[in-house]
Amino acid sequence: MPKNSKVVKRELDDEVIESVKDLLSNEDSADDAFKKSELIVDVQEEKDTDVEEESEVEDERPAWNSKLQYILAQVGYSVGLGNVWRFPYLCQKNGGGAYLLPYLILLLVIGIPLFFLELAVGQRIRRGSIGVWNYISPKLGGIGFASCVVCFFVGLYYNVIIGWSLFYFSQSFQQPLPWDQCPLVKNASHTFVEPECEKSSATTYYWYRETLNISSSISESGGLNWKMTICLLAAWVVVCLAMIKGIQSSGKIMYFSSLFPYVVLLCFLVRVLLLNGSIDGIRHMFTPKLEMMLEPRVWREAATQVFFALGLGFGGVIAFSSYNKRDNNCHFDAVLVSFVNFFTSVLATLVVFAVLGFKANVINEKCVTENSKIIIKLLKMGNISQDIIPHHINLSAVTAEDYRLVYDIIQKVKEEEFPALHLNSCKIEDELNKAVQGTGLAFIAFTEAMTHFPASPFWSVMFFFMLVNLGIGSMFGTIEGIITPVVDNFKARKEILTVVCCLLAFCIGLIFVQRSGNYFVTMFDDYSATLPLLIIVILENIAVSFVYGIDKFMEDLKDMLGFAPNRYYYYMWKYISPLMLLSLLMASVVNMGFSPPGYNAWIEEKASEEFLSYPTWGLVVCILLMVLAVLPIPAVFIIRRCNVIDNSSGNLASVTYKRGRVLKEPVNLEGDDASLIHGKISSEMSSPSFGKNIYRKQSGSPTLDTAPNGRYGIGYLMADMPDMPESDL
């Protein structure tokens, strides 16, 4: 007997029992005698078979070694680089502490309900994103394919960021740090500071010139940057080795990659709190600007951050939860992971603002020193009278408070002549109000602050190793969102698929390690995920609430969890969340329409960034990224609605999803109906001899006795049964 023949036979037998039972339940009373004499269905036997079958299917599917491993995997996936460099920027930009309230409200309204929904469908159906949405509604099966495409697009450029972090990590084992000072240039006559660096700063120069060796526009390729190419290869090798055995290998790594960032963040927080100026940064963060809460933009950006922080729509959440036991309390998991993500963002924001406060204080002290020298020079030249300077102030060693006092006095006395003096106010708030996000925060602002730390190489190693771990944790979920659905539905070997996927992604990812590669990272980040993911999650919500049926879904949850979820989720899934998501989609489309498509290019001559519009081919690529990401949704709908693919071809159209299992439709079933029901082995069965009353003839149907879905024989799900998913994909 083939290795899996027992499982296949049981799956087919169970399908036959249920479909025949349901068919006969719709027969007229005149057929009672036929049912009693020809077919006896033992309900208890059906239940026993189903339980035994489900246990065997569960035994075949890999599972997490422990609940802790699973929680750490979900936390590692949801807590990523955005928590460190996106959330603090939004908090700074949108009202400081006042931003936390809209974020928390939207986390409760959008984040937790939709996160719970994805966890629940993955755990219930025990398949990746493709299998889950084929089960919910085959015509909407394209949602799963679209999730895989988005995961692939995001994985392409996300691993480039890990490569950058690896490069900085490798360069941090030096004293002083290589980005501490501007490089010197020698010529025949003398030595001078690199002009590009002198116009900007040491950390900015190191990022744009030494790391990226960036070109001046996206159209100027400049060839491959060999240092970044090696780092990208190393990043993909790490991801491939960690993912090659699925959750058996990546799950163990999660213990370190998920917990280590918290150790680093706490160490950073304790260290920077002991530094001068850190409290100023934290105070600036928690000073609420309540008037900004009335701006729609704040709520839109908070909703977008909630949406992406939890990794909704990617398929990684569904893939991870599909390896759970059916009775796992996924509601608890949804609430726990969501709030862990929120508090991680707050912790990271505390650290970032404390570091920026320290950096602002260092810059402010330098500003005070330089401007004090200017005042002393003006006093000697007689441009300013010595009488206006308070006697207790020593300009040779002046404090920031005393300088502010002198500055205000000079400004009042020299009201008309003051602009010509070129004095700077040297306010810490001005430095803290400079909004920095993304790579600018991590690779420029943060690195500059760390150069002033005692034992700066140690802290630099810790910081960039933390970024690598945060990135890898998110990459695990992203790649799992591709691997799990493909393995589930196409029966590919996981090891080979993982290697092929990573190799293909590395080859395509070479466009990101050109000298113009940073501009492509910006392009993919802006256009490959935002709108497609919103569309995917809206359709997920609609598929569960209106296609599958919210009442039926709530019953499934009650059966799975052992208790009925709060009615709060019923109203969220059916009314509030769809409306909020549609509003967010429209707001995002409008914002994208009013924002000119472009990127910030580094101009070497000016040693500064300048906004440039995308060339025509760049606009075409932006549109293609969005179209390709959502194209599987209408494509699969049309293919399955119009039966473009023959159901007997053995491809996707011939897959039936039932109770989270994939049942390949059998070819040439042998044996009569009685032997199928009683579980005889196919080799022991005679040729089929089906009764004419097994399927009810539809009005207008041909005289040939077929199933209502156009297929012959017993054991197929009826297409018009309201409580079963469609099988004619």
Side-chain angles (χ1 to χ4, degrees):
M1 181 182 291
K3 181 178 180 181
N4 294 324
S5 61
K6 182 178 179 182
V7 175
V8 173
K9 176 183 72 61
R10 184 174 288 110
E11 288 179 351
L12 296 176
D13 289 351
D14 181 53
E15 194 76 354
V16 170
I17 292 170
E18 293 196 358
S19 57
V20 172
K21 176 187 172 184
D22 291 332
L23 285 166
L24 291 180
S25 66
N26 294 324
E27 292 294 331
D28 297 330
S29 57
D31 293 329
D32 287 345
F34 169 79
K35 285 185 281 185
K36 290 180 181 178
S37 59
E38 296 293 326
L39 183 64
I40 299 175
V41 178
D42 187 351
V43 177
Q44 184 62 41
E45 179 184 345
E46 177 188 1
K47 291 181 179 178
D48 294 341
T49 303
D50 186 61
V51 171
E52 185 180 353
E53 173 192 359
E54 288 187 2
S55 64
E56 287 204 23
V57 172
E58 288 188 5
D59 290 340
E60 285 186 347
R61 189 170 183 80
W64 298 101
N65 292 335
S66 66
K67 180 66 175 284
L68 176 61
Q69 189 181 89
Y70 163 68
I71 293 295
L72 289 177
Q74 290 286 16
V75 168
Y77 175 51
S78 66
V79 174
L81 298 172
N83 297 77
V84 175
W85 65 36
R86 177 70 178 167
F87 188 90
Y89 161 74
L90 292 174
C91 190
Q92 179 186 28
K93 177 184 175 184
N94 296 317
Y99 173 75
L100 299 179
L101 183 58
Y103 184 88
L104 192 56
I105 292 172
L106 292 169
L107 181 67
L108 296 173
V109 173
I110 294 180
I112 294 178
L114 294 177
F115 193 59
F116 179 28
L117 184 145
E118 290 201 358
L119 289 178
V121 296
Q123 181 174 308
R124 178 68 175 177
I125 303 172
R126 294 176 64 76
R127 284 292 178 269
S129 55
I130 295 176
V132 160
W133 301 113
N134 273 322
Y135 172 88
I136 297 295
S137 173
K139 290 185 178 66
L140 292 178
I143 297 174
F145 290 98
S147 294
C148 291
V149 174
V150 171
C151 278
F152 187 71
F153 283 161
V154 172
L156 286 177
Y157 73 86
Y158 203 88
N159 223 25
V160 176
I161 302 173
I162 299 177
W164 295 339
S165 302
L166 283 172
F167 176 75
Y168 268 80
F169 172 73
S170 67
Q171 298 298 306
S172 296
F173 296 90
Q174 302 179 43
Q175 177 66 30
L177 291 169
W179 50 84
D180 185 36
Q181 300 290 335
C182 284
L184 299 177
V185 179
K186 296 181 180 180
N187 60 16
S189 58
H190 62 284
T191 301
F192 57 93
V193 176
E194 170 64 48
E196 186 181 359
C197 182
E198 192 173 24
K199 292 177 184 177
S200 54
S201 69
T203 51
T204 304
Y205 176 83
Y206 191 86
W207 166 243
Y208 283 115
R209 191 56 54 211
E210 297 293 336
T211 304
L212 301 179
N213 193 18
I214 200 164
S215 60
S216 297
S217 73
I218 195 171
S219 301
E220 183 186 337
S221 168
L224 290 178
N225 181 339
W226 67 268
K227 291 184 290 188
M228 291 302 102
T229 304
I230 293 173
C231 291
L232 179 63
L233 177 61
W236 276 115
V237 168
V238 170
V239 171
C240 183
L241 293 177
M243 295 294 300
I244 199 163
K245 292 293 184 181
I247 63 171
Q248 279 79 13
S249 56
S250 63
K252 295 180 177 63
I253 299 174
M254 285 297 178
Y255 285 111
F256 180 79
S257 64
S258 297
L259 294 176
F260 180 74
Y262 291 97
V263 175
V264 176
L265 286 174
L266 289 173
C267 290
F268 259 97
L269 183 61
V270 172
R271 183 67 191 92
V272 295
L273 286 177
L274 301 176
L275 297 174
N276 188 28
S278 60
I279 301 300
D280 295 325
I282 294 176
R283 187 187 300 115
H284 180 81
M285 168 194 167
F286 282 107
T287 301
K289 301 172 185 175
L290 298 176
E291 67 279 2
M292 297 192 70
M293 290 180 61
L294 301 177
E295 297 183 16
R297 173 182 57 82
V298 175
W299 290 84
R300 177 180 61 82
E301 292 188 347
T304 304
Q305 178 62 16
V306 167
F307 185 82
F308 289 108
L310 296 175
L312 300 174
F314 284 95
V317 172
I318 294 175
F320 279 154
S321 65
S322 70
Y323 298 110
N324 273 332
K325 295 180 180 178
R326 289 185 191 274
D327 59 351
N328 174 63
N329 188 350
C330 55
H331 174 255
F332 171 80
D333 301 340
V335 175
L336 176 64
V337 173
S338 298
F339 278 102
V340 166
N341 186 289
F342 172 69
F343 288 119
T344 303
S345 298
V346 174
L347 174 62
T349 304
L350 278 173
V351 173
V352 168
F353 272 86
V355 171
L356 293 180
F358 165 69
K359 172 177 172 280
N361 193 270
V362 171
I363 294 175
N364 191 65
E365 288 178 357
K366 187 182 297 184
C367 175
V368 168
T369 302
E370 292 175 354
N371 282 269
S372 296
K373 292 179 180 178
I374 296 175
I375 294 175
I376 292 173
K377 186 182 295 184
L378 292 172
L379 287 170
K380 290 179 179 179
M381 294 172 61
N383 292 10
I384 299 176
S385 173
Q386 183 69 46
D387 296 335
I388 67 174
I389 306 297
H391 298 293
H392 69 280
I393 294 178
N394 180 10
L395 289 173
S396 300
V398 66
T399 63
E401 293 76 13
D402 288 342
Y403 172 78
R404 284 293 307 161
L405 177 60
V406 173
Y407 177 86
D408 292 338
I409 292 173
I410 296 175
Q411 189 176 28
K412 290 178 182 178
V413 173
K414 299 285 186 178
E415 186 174 352
E416 295 181 358
E417 303 173 13
F418 184 77
L421 300 179
H422 302 293
L423 292 176
N424 197 310
S425 60
C426 298
K427 291 182 180 179
I428 292 181
E429 291 75 16
D430 294 339
E431 190 67 31
L432 289 171
N433 283 328
K434 293 179 182 177
V436 183
Q437 67 161 322
T439 54
L441 175 63
F443 297 104
I444 298 176
F446 225 85
T447 52
E448 183 175 347
M450 284 187 295
T451 58
H452 301 289
F453 279 25
S456 55
F458 169 78
W459 294 105
S460 183
V461 167
M462 294 282 282
F463 176 72
F464 288 109
F465 193 41
M466 178 191 72
L467 290 188
V468 170
N469 277 274
L470 286 172
I472 286 178
S474 297
M475 277 298 295
F476 287 165
T478 303
I479 300 300
E480 198 67 56
I482 303 171
I483 301 297
T484 296
V486 173
V487 169
D488 286 344
N489 292 274
F490 300 98
K491 305 305 176 188
R493 187 174 175 182
K494 178 165 287 189
E495 293 86 350
I496 297 176
L497 179 63
T498 303
V499 172
V500 170
C501 180
C502 292
L503 185 60
L504 177 63
F506 168 73
C507 294
I508 299 175
L510 291 176
I511 65 172
F512 301 109
V513 290
Q514 306 173 93
R515 290 184 59 198
S516 61
N518 188 45
Y519 306 138
F520 285 97
V521 171
T522 302
M523 176 190 289
F524 272 67
D525 190 35
D526 290 341
Y527 294 97
S528 70
T530 306
L531 288 182
L533 280 177
L534 274 172
I535 294 171
I536 288 170
V537 175
I538 289 171
L539 291 176
E540 286 181 358
N541 199 164
I542 292 173
V544 171
S545 300
F546 301 101
V547 179
Y548 185 78
I550 190 64
D551 294 307
K552 184 179 179 183
F553 185 62
M554 294 295 283
E555 286 297 318
D556 289 344
L557 289 177
K558 183 178 179 180
D559 176 63
M560 181 173 68
L561 301 176
F563 63 89
N566 193 290
R567 294 291 289 180
Y568 166 81
Y569 293 102
Y570 178 91
Y571 296 110
M572 288 295 108
W573 288 329
K574 191 168 185 179
Y575 303 111
I576 306 300
S577 294
L579 290 176
M580 294 288 290
L581 288 171
L582 287 171
S583 301
L584 179 59
L585 177 63
M586 289 186 291
S588 299
V589 171
V590 170
N591 180 67
M592 187 173 290
F594 282 103
S595 301
Y599 60 100
N600 290 318
W602 179 257
I603 309 301
E604 183 177 355
E605 293 76 17
K606 299 179 180 178
S608 63
E609 288 186 335
E610 181 179 316
F611 183 82
L612 298 179
S613 298
Y614 286 116
T616 304
W617 64 264
L619 292 175
V620 172
V621 173
C622 293
I623 295 171
L624 278 176
L625 287 175
M626 292 187 287
V627 170
L628 289 175
V630 298
L631 185 61
I633 298 174
V636 171
F637 180 85
I638 293 171
I639 288 172
R640 291 176 176 172
R641 180 70 179 83
C642 302
N643 292 323
V644 174
I645 299 179
D646 183 14
N647 287 343
S648 61
S649 60
N651 50 33
L652 284 175
S654 63
V655 179
T656 299
Y657 293 88
K658 184 173 183 299
R659 287 195 188 141
R661 305 188 305 272
V662 182
L663 305 179
K664 292 287 184 181
E665 290 184 354
V667 182
N668 296 329
L669 281 178
E670 294 183 349
D672 57 25
D673 46 344
S675 62
L676 282 171
I677 292 171
H678 291 294
K680 292 183 180 180
I681 302 172
S682 57
S683 60
E684 299 173 0
M685 299 177 187
S686 58
S687 299
S689 177
F690 304 127
K692 292 183 179 294
N693 289 332
I694 293 298
Y695 287 99
R696 186 193 305 275
K697 295 179 182 178
Q698 306 295 316
S699 58
S701 62
T703 56
L704 181 63
D705 292 319
T706 66
N709 56 11
R711 302 191 189 94
Y712 299 96
I714 296 176
Y716 298 94
L717 298 176
M718 293 180 64
D720 58 345
M721 292 174 65
D723 58 340
M724 291 288 183
E726 293 182 36
S727 60
D728 53 332
L729 312 188

